């Protein structure tokens, strides 16, 4: 049976052209899309990574704003990797059937706790 909570977990390999983007910075999505499209066809575009753990915009503007920003990144033609996705955002993406558009990176276990 397929686990719908983690539909597109990332493989445990390094990604050569990774760019982290902060959704809380104004116009960061537009700038990331413009720079990705300037690189040419999709195979040469870097993957965009988003750390979703402490997004101020999710608390102030709502989860729908974050989903909208993520969809804009996807529309830019790049692969979007989501790190440390919180439960409300993960549930919203799943309910809207958008979870298959993104790669979910699960946090590594903290070895300092062992």
């Amino acid at each position: 049976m397929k686990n719908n909570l983690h539909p597109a977990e990332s493989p445990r390999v390094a990604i050569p052209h990774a760019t982290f983007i902060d959704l809380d910075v104004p116009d960061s999505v537009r700038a990331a899309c413009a720079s990705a499209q300037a690189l040419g066809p999709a195979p040469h575009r870097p993957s965009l990574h988003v750390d979703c753990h402490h997004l101020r915009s999710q608390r102030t503007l709502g989860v729908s704003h974050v989903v909208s920003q993520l969809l804009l990144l996807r529309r830019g033609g790049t692969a979007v990797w989501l790190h440390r996705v919180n439960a409300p955002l993960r549930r919203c993406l799943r309910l809207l059937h958008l979870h298959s558009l993104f790669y979910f990176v699960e946090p590594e276990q903290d070895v300092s706790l062992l």
Side-chain angles (χ1 to χ4, degrees):
M1 184 169 169
K2 186 176 179 183
N3 183 354
N4 288 331
L5 291 179
H6 307 288
E9 289 185 22
S10 65
R12 304 257 185 230
V13 295
I15 297 160
H17 301 287
T19 303
F20 276 85
I21 182 169
D22 185 359
L23 295 182
D24 289 330
V25 175
D27 295 327
S28 63
V29 172
R30 189 175 327 163
C33 289
S35 66
Q37 289 176 351
L39 292 174
H44 302 292
R45 293 181 186 171
S47 298
L48 297 177
H49 294 252
V50 179
D51 185 1
C52 302
H53 189 61
H54 291 294
L55 288 175
R56 287 185 315 257
S57 57
Q58 185 173 341
R59 292 190 306 276
T60 58
L61 300 172
V63 71
S64 60
H65 173 75
V66 174
V67 171
S68 157
Q69 297 295 92
L70 293 173
L71 288 172
L72 286 173
L73 288 173
R74 262 310 270 149
R75 190 174 81 182
T78 60
V80 179
W81 297 68
L82 304 178
H83 297 258
R84 303 190 309 169
V85 179
N86 56 39
L89 178 57
R90 185 182 297 270
R91 181 171 167 80
C92 185
L93 290 170
R94 187 174 50 85
L95 289 173
L96 294 171
H97 299 283
L98 298 173
H99 58 276
S100 62
L101 297 176
F102 305 101
Y103 295 99
F104 294 86
V105 178
E106 296 306 319
E108 298 292 327
Q109 286 186 340
D110 189 359
V111 293
S112 64
L113 296 176
L114 299 176

